[in-house]
Amino acid sequence: RTVRYMGVQEPKRHKLHKATFPIDLPYNIIKCFDDAEIILDPYAGIGTTAKAVVKLNQEDGKDRKFLGFEIDDLYIQDFNESIYEFISE
């Protein structure tokens, strides 16, 4: 099975999470809703949507909030590490 990512860079595969996607996907969707104040991700996984929120806030100076839910403790730890690493880049 071949997956094509139209106009976005293919995501790096996480060592444990099987449902990763490129940051450009949530980034472009959130950008369409310019007046959004809170971004909700009920399946936060390793934090790709949260990273998109951070990236957009840095670019346009807005103060969107991110609210994410994740049931798996393993992904929560990876989420936290991934976000801290992303913010400090």
Side-chain angles (χ1 to χ4, degrees):
R1 183 172 132 183
T2 302
V3 177
R4 299 191 195 290
Y5 296 94
M6 297 180 194
V8 295
Q9 186 177 19
E10 184 174 351
K12 289 185 254 176
R13 292 289 166 203
H14 186 265
K15 60 187 175 236
L16 299 172
H17 201 288
K18 303 297 183 209
T20 57
F21 50 85
I23 191 172
D24 293 312
L25 181 64
Y27 175 91
N28 289 328
I29 293 170
I30 295 165
K31 217 171 162 180
C32 290
F33 298 92
D34 195 48
D35 59 344
E37 296 178 11
I38 300 172
I39 309 303
L40 173 66
D41 185 355
Y43 309 100
I46 58 171
T48 306
T49 302
K51 290 177 191 176
V53 171
V54 170
K55 183 177 178 182
L56 270 169
N57 285 345
Q58 290 171 341
E59 289 177 5
D60 64 16
K62 293 192 178 182
D63 189 30
R64 295 172 192 86
K65 306 296 186 222
F66 173 80
L67 178 59
F69 299 96
E70 179 55 59
I71 196 168
D72 192 323
D73 289 338
L74 183 60
Y75 296 148
I76 293 170
Q77 181 179 346
D78 285 349
F79 175 97
N80 289 331
E81 291 171 9
S82 178
I83 290 298
Y84 288 124
E85 184 179 305
F86 185 78
I87 291 172
S88 59
E89 287 179 348

